Structures are given as structure tokens and as C-alpha cells.
Amino acid sequence: MATWLVTGGAGFIGGNFVLGARGRGMAKIVNLDALTYAGNRHSLDPLEEDADHVFVHGDIGDRALVDRLLAEHEPDAIVNFAAESHVDRSIDGPAAFVQTNVVGTLSLLEAARDYWRALPGTRRDTFRFLHVSTDEVYGSLGETGKFTEQTPFAPNSPYSASKAASDHLVRAFHHTYGLPVLTTNCSNNYGPLQFPEKLIPLVIQKALAGEPLPVYGDGSNVRDWLYVGDHCRAIEAVLTEGRVGETYNVGGDAERRNLEVVQAICDILD
């Protein structure tokens, strides 16, 4: 069985990925997560007795820790979910987003590069570094058309700017050092285990409590909504079948304005 080092695997998307991959016996998973506000150790409770899931509390920016995990577990792939990921929080405090999403990703890339270089021939050929990113690096989705992998980057928040920077670093490590990387840029995820600051769970909680419903900006932002389980299966497909150096956009083909989503939730709750 392959071994994957998954970073940020106690978060929303990472947690769903880990649970799904272990449920299907895809790989042994070493799960590194800093357990910041959006990480939830209890999301992984179903794996408590699973010998092929190893949880490690730590930061991707801790080079000594990452080096030790790579040497001890000898993973066949690294899947990087670790990120600060909330637009409003990035506006209030952009430095934390730069630290995790840019500096942390750089540290992880350097560790991966050095580990990969030391692998023997066949394992060196099959090793992969998959970086999970967002479609927000492309800017705002218009009323017509979709983002493609060739859409120019146009980040509009400190969060999306930090993710764009991390995407550029991943690309640079492939072209400069030959590191076998893959990048996925996903649209707006929803589903189980999502932290309640995000739109859908937040609106559900506020509506049930009879409180005002917060909407980013004027609510006209168009996002493509993607069920997290579908996203995780796409990541598995890219990791096992993707072409090194490529970027893959992952979407749900379900564009809606934020206000439409809020109104749909209210209709259901009513």
C-alpha cells in the first residue's frame, strides 16, 4: 500500500479527503495538522482505531518535524491542504495568511524537494507533490463563462493573493528543480465537517437562530459550488492519474450568486 503525507488533514476538505481515502483503502496516511481554529481533531474520530492513519499535531513550517516525518514514513506522495482559507479573516489579518500559505508552503516544498532528490530511482519517478488550491486565484466569476486553467491570475483578497503566491511557488519548484508537482484549483466547497464561518453553515445557523444573515459584499459574487466529496474524488484522480506539472480545475458546474444560495437555504428552512 502506498503512503501519503497529508497536510491540513483535520480541516474541512482535508478531513473529508482523509476519511474517504482511508475508507476506500487508497493509502496509509500520515496526517499533519496544526489544529488551528478551522481544524477539528474530532472529525477524524472514525479513524481512531485505524493503524494505517497516523495523526501528527504540527505545522508545515516546522522544517525539522516535516523532515522527521518524511524520513520515518517515506511517503510516496505529499498532498498539501494546509492553508488559512477565509476571505474576511484575511482582510482583518493578512499576515497570518502570508505566513501559512506562502512561507509555510515554501518550507514544505523545500523539504519535499530534498526528500525527493534522495529517493532511489523508481520511487523518485513515481513520487508526487499535490498542492490543493482555489479558483479564487482567478478573481471574480462573471455571469457568463467559466474559469479555465489558462485564466490569468487576478486575486482580489489577501487570502486569494496568498494562495496565488503558493501556486506560483509550486510551479517554480517544478520548473526550477524538477519536483514532480500537481496543482488543483477548486471552486467553492460545501458539505459535512465544514467550519461554521463559511457561507452555507453560517447562514443555516444564523437563520435557525433568527439572527441577521451576513453576506460578503453585496451578495452578487458568483461562485461555482462543489460538493466536498466530489472534490476529494477528483483529487484522488489527479494524484493517481494526473500529468506532472499540470494544473487541474475542479468545479461543480453550479454557478450561483451568494444571495441565491442564501435565499435557497431560507426557502428550505422555511
Side-chain angles (χ1 to χ4, degrees):
M1 188 188 304
T3 298
W4 299 344
L5 173 61
V6 177
T7 67
F12 166 44
I13 303 174
N16 275 281
F17 177 81
V18 169
L19 290 170
R22 282 303 310 135
R24 288 184 288 279
M26 295 285 295
K28 174 182 177 180
I29 291 179
V30 181
N31 187 347
L32 176 63
D33 197 293
L35 293 179
T36 57
Y37 70 94
N40 185 353
R41 183 71 176 84
H42 292 297
S43 297
L44 305 169
D45 283 350
L47 303 178
E48 196 64 39
E49 305 299 323
D50 187 347
D52 289 323
H53 174 255
V54 179
F55 181 80
V56 181
H57 182 196
D59 194 292
I60 60 171
D62 184 342
R63 179 64 189 272
L65 172 61
V66 173
D67 285 344
R68 178 175 66 79
L69 293 176
L70 293 172
E72 180 179 346
H73 297 282
E74 299 184 340
D76 302 286
I78 297 173
V79 185
N80 181 34
F81 291 94
E84 297 281 352
S85 63
H86 192 256
V87 170
D88 289 350
R89 284 180 182 266
S90 78
I91 293 170
D92 294 336
F97 286 73
V98 172
Q99 184 62 41
T100 297
N101 299 353
V102 184
V103 179
T105 300
L106 173 60
S107 179
L108 186 64
L109 282 164
E110 289 182 319
R113 176 200 59 197
D114 295 347
Y115 167 75
W116 166 72
R117 282 175 165 174
L119 287 173
T122 303
R123 293 199 59 217
R124 192 171 187 269
D125 293 340
T126 57
F127 177 81
R128 297 291 184 268
F129 183 104
L130 192 154
H131 177 63
V132 181
S133 190
T134 170
D135 68 348
E136 291 200 34
V137 299
Y138 300 124
S140 299
L141 187 63
E143 291 292 341
T144 59
K146 295 180 174 67
F147 297 134
T148 73
E149 288 82 356
Q150 287 74 44
T151 300
F153 279 17
N156 291 324
S157 70
Y159 159 60
S160 54
S162 68
K163 288 298 290 183
S166 68
D167 290 12
H168 286 313
L169 284 170
V170 171
R171 174 185 170 88
F173 266 66
H174 174 61
H175 287 277
T176 303
Y177 306 109
L179 185 68
V181 305
L182 301 154
T183 299
T184 58
N185 293 87
C186 69
S187 56
N188 219 35
N189 279 228
Y190 67 95
L193 308 181
Q194 189 164 28
F195 192 71
E197 70 183 359
K198 298 293 186 175
L199 182 64
I200 289 178
L202 181 63
V203 168
I204 291 171
Q205 289 190 338
K206 295 287 188 181
L208 288 173
E211 298 174 2
L213 308 181
V215 178
Y216 179 66
D218 62 4
S220 63
N221 283 21
V222 177
R223 301 302 307 279
D224 174 44
W225 293 85
L226 171 65
Y227 181 65
V228 65
D230 296 335
H231 181 202
C232 291
R233 294 302 294 268
I235 292 170
E236 289 178 7
V238 171
L239 182 59
T240 56
E241 303 174 38
R243 190 165 59 189
V244 167
E246 288 292 335
T247 294
Y248 294 88
N249 285 356
V250 183
D253 196 23
E255 291 91 354
R256 301 289 189 280
R257 291 183 298 116
N258 284 348
L259 274 181
E260 290 181 85
V261 175
V262 172
Q263 289 160 355
I265 293 170
C266 290
D267 289 343
I268 293 168
L269 294 179
D270 285 345

